[in-house]
Amino acid sequence: QIRGIIQLKKDVNPSNKPNAKATGGESTLDLDKKAYYQFALTPDSHPHFSRIWYARHVLNAESPLLKREIRDMIVQEGGKWDKDFNTASEIRQCLNEFISLRITLSGTSAVSANTVFAEHVYEYEDVVVGWRFANMVYEKEPKRKLLRRLFPFGRGEAAEVKGNCETFTKVDKALIHDIVPQPGDDYEDLAETSTLAQLGGLFKRN
């Protein structure tokens, strides 16, 4: 199971604001200057997780990642996103400057039957509009197939080996924090964000 908790300043997205129209994002912990909100992720469960899990958060009227006025606007539009807020800079202006976003992953190991747990904490500066995580999955050919390609002893034999051998699906863990631009030409410039420039794992691979 995967779940998220976002931490905001209490005056950024108060739940007791008069005439508030948007729903969701109720505080789960009452502190003087901080508030915690559930951060919905989909899919939030996986029956057999073995390689990579891509979880997504939808920016809607219940998203604590959006400012209150943006959430109210979505409600007034019948749950639809305003097409006037569609560039990287405009989407950035719609976001709450949160303190931290904690993502936790828990499950049961198929090997030992023990509970396993992992977490990662993101800060507001880690959010990059218009970018996505790089694909970490690749196909690797069996060694026997590679040898046949390097030393073909006959077209018929090489073709037969190629048909009988299947590729293996591998995960390149070195790409775990790498990001690449989403389709389209509108995305934030990483060089303009000093925090991102200091993170060696976040860069565009050619």
Side-chain angles (χ1 to χ4, degrees):
Q1 184 179 15
I2 189 170
R3 63 195 299 262
I5 296 291
I6 189 170
Q7 182 183 16
L8 300 172
K9 296 179 181 179
K10 205 165 187 180
D11 57 348
V12 170
N13 197 8
S15 59
N16 59 351
K17 180 180 178 180
N19 302 323
K21 297 179 181 179
T23 60
E26 298 299 328
S27 174
T28 59
L29 183 62
D30 187 16
L31 297 176
D32 292 337
K33 297 182 180 180
K34 300 177 182 179
Y36 292 81
Y37 298 83
Q38 294 288 343
F39 191 79
L41 295 169
T42 56
D44 61 356
S45 61
H46 198 293
H48 183 69
F49 171 63
S50 60
R51 293 187 181 93
I52 298 177
W53 188 340
Y54 288 105
R56 294 173 173 82
H57 175 76
V58 180
L59 296 179
N60 54 25
E62 298 183 358
S63 171
L65 193 57
L66 293 176
K67 296 178 179 179
R68 171 65 69 174
E69 57 268 25
I70 302 301
R71 296 168 64 188
D72 290 342
M73 179 189 64
I74 295 177
V75 172
Q76 295 175 359
E77 295 292 332
K80 298 180 181 180
W81 183 269
D82 193 338
K83 62 181 180 180
D84 292 333
F85 295 92
N86 207 28
T87 65
S89 59
E90 291 169 346
I91 294 176
R92 170 67 69 177
Q93 296 176 359
C94 297
L95 303 181
N96 271 327
E97 191 170 346
F98 59 87
I99 300 174
S100 65
L101 172 60
R102 185 180 302 272
I103 306 298
T104 60
L105 177 66
S106 60
T108 303
S109 171
V111 177
S112 63
N114 292 327
T115 300
V116 292
F117 176 86
E119 71 173 11
H120 189 85
V121 179
Y122 297 93
E123 297 180 351
Y124 178 74
E125 291 78 9
D126 296 329
V127 177
V128 193
V129 180
W131 295 70
R132 62 175 178 82
F133 285 109
N135 184 20
M136 300 169 57
V137 179
Y138 65 96
E139 298 293 329
K140 184 177 181 181
E141 298 179 348
K143 292 183 179 180
R144 185 175 63 175
K145 183 177 178 181
L146 292 176
L147 289 175
R148 286 293 185 272
R149 286 192 171 184
L150 293 175
F151 305 101
F153 297 102
R155 294 183 179 180
E157 183 180 359
E160 182 180 355
V161 173
K162 182 177 181 180
N164 293 333
C165 295
E166 296 181 355
T167 59
F168 296 99
T169 301
K170 298 290 184 178
V171 177
D172 189 351
K173 297 180 181 179
L175 302 178
I176 191 170
H177 290 301
D178 284 14
I179 57 176
V180 295
Q182 292 179 346
D185 298 328
D186 186 39
Y187 48 85
E188 291 183 324
D189 186 359
L190 300 185
E192 296 180 357
T193 308
S194 58
T195 302
L196 291 175
Q198 297 173 2
L199 298 177
L202 294 179
F203 58 89
K204 175 182 177 182
R205 281 182 176 263
N206 294 325

